[in-house]
Amino acid sequence: MLKTILIVEDDQEISKLLKNHLEQENFTALTAFDGEEALAFVEQEKLDLILLDLMLPKLNGLDLLKKIRETTLIPVLILSAKGSELDKALGLGFGADDYISKPFSMIELTARVHAAIRRVTQYMPAAENPSTTSQILHFKGLSLDLSTFSAQVNGKFVQLTSKEFHILKLFMTHKNRAFTKEQIYHFIWEDDYFGNENVINVHISRLREKIEEDPSKPKYIQTIWGIGYKLGE
C-alpha cells in the first residue's frame, strides 16, 4: 500500500517539486498551502508523514504542529529556511521528529522520509493484530506498550512523539547500558551523527518533562557526564 505524505508548503514551486519527486518515489503526495488547509487534511485523511514548512499563512507551522500533536503521532519533518539552532529547538520541542534546513538535497529528503516512516511502521503489525500479545516494558512506575505505541507513568498515560517513544524504548530495552549521544542518534535517527548534540538534548529534555516528577532531578533518564544517558541509577 502506498504511503501518503502531506506537503505543507506555501511556495507553490517548491510544493510542486516535492510532490513530483515523492510521487516518483512511489508515495501518494497531498499538498496544502496554508496552516488551516493542512489541519483539515490532518483531520480528514489517513496520513503517514507530514513535511511542514514553518512560515505559513493563516496558521504558522509551529502552531499547526502543536495542534497536530494534540491528536496524533504522525511523523512530522520540518522543512524551513529558518535554520538557526533556536528554530530547530523550537520545532523539535513542539514535537517534530526531524528538521531539514533549506536548501536540501532530494536524496537527503528521501532518506529521512523513509527512515521516519520505517520507525513508525515497524510497530504496526503488532498494533493491527488484536490477537497479538502485548509486549510491555516496565521500569519502576514507567511502562511502555510496544503493541499500542503508548506510555504510562504511575498509571497515567503520557503523550509521546515518535522520537520520544523510540528513545525511551531504546533505554528500556537496555536498562543497564549507558548510551553516548552519537549512539542515540545512530539508533533513533538511523543516520550519521555530525555533532547534532542540540537535537538529542532537546528530545531528552522534552521527554523528561513528560515522564519525570521533577525534570531537574530525574529518576528515569540519568545524565552520565562525559558519556551520555542511561535509564535509572
Side-chain angles (χ1 to χ4, degrees), residues 1-230:
M1 182 179 296
L2 296 181
K3 300 299 181 182
T4 301
I5 298 176
L6 174 63
I7 302 165
V8 189
E9 167 64 68
D10 64 328
D11 187 313
Q12 297 198 18
E13 288 298 321
I14 295 177
S15 178
K16 183 178 180 180
L17 182 65
L18 290 171
K19 178 178 174 65
N20 290 341
H21 175 76
L22 291 171
E23 289 177 343
Q24 289 175 3
E25 295 291 325
N26 295 318
F27 291 105
T28 297
L30 305 176
T31 56
F33 300 102
D34 63 62
E36 292 181 358
E37 183 182 11
L39 189 59
F41 272 114
V42 173
E43 294 171 347
Q44 298 169 13
E45 300 287 339
K46 183 181 183 302
L47 304 173
D48 296 288
L49 184 136
I50 298 172
L51 295 177
L52 176 62
D53 184 32
L54 290 183
M55 303 297 289
L56 296 171
K58 297 186 179 180
L59 183 66
N60 71 52
L62 290 179
D63 288 338
L64 173 60
L65 179 57
K66 286 189 286 186
K67 287 184 176 295
I68 290 172
R69 282 292 171 255
E70 290 175 359
T71 59
T72 180
L73 292 176
I74 298 170
V76 176
L77 305 188
I78 289 179
L79 307 176
S80 180
K82 299 179 67 176
S84 73
E85 291 301 312
L86 176 59
D87 292 318
K88 293 180 181 180
L90 284 172
L92 295 171
F94 283 136
D97 293 89
D98 209 345
Y99 194 116
I100 306 176
S101 298
K102 297 176 182 177
F104 51 83
S105 73
M106 287 300 179
I107 294 176
E108 177 190 10
L109 175 72
T110 303
R112 290 179 184 268
V113 165
H114 280 294
I117 292 177
R118 184 167 60 248
R119 284 191 292 269
V120 173
T121 55
Q122 63 182 306
Y123 294 101
M124 290 301 289
E128 292 174 350
N129 185 355
S131 63
T132 301
T133 301
S134 295
Q135 184 180 357
I136 303 178
L137 305 176
H138 295 281
F139 180 77
K140 296 183 179 179
L142 181 64
S143 64
L144 201 65
D145 192 327
L146 305 186
S147 66
T148 61
F149 209 70
S150 61
Q152 293 186 52
V153 180
N154 297 322
K156 295 182 180 180
F157 283 98
V158 291
Q159 187 82 1
L160 302 180
T161 67
S162 173
K163 282 291 197 310
E164 291 165 354
F165 183 92
H166 284 82
I167 291 171
L168 196 52
K169 175 179 178 289
L170 178 66
F171 289 142
M172 293 184 71
T173 51
H174 302 83
K175 295 179 181 178
N176 297 315
R177 177 176 173 179
F179 289 91
T180 66
K181 293 178 182 179
E182 181 176 359
Q183 289 171 331
I184 295 171
Y185 194 88
H186 173 74
F187 282 119
I188 306 303
W189 276 260
E190 300 180 357
D191 199 358
D192 292 330
Y193 180 79
F194 296 105
N196 300 314
E197 284 197 8
N198 193 54
V199 173
I200 303 298
N201 294 340
V202 169
H203 279 84
I204 294 294
S205 177
R206 293 287 294 181
L207 186 53
R208 281 173 169 165
E209 289 177 6
K210 293 180 179 182
I211 67 174
E212 302 283 1
E213 182 176 347
D214 183 355
S216 66
K217 299 178 181 178
K219 69 176 183 179
Y220 293 122
I221 301 177
Q222 301 291 334
T223 299
I224 309 299
W225 296 107
I227 299 176
Y229 302 97
K230 72 181 295 288

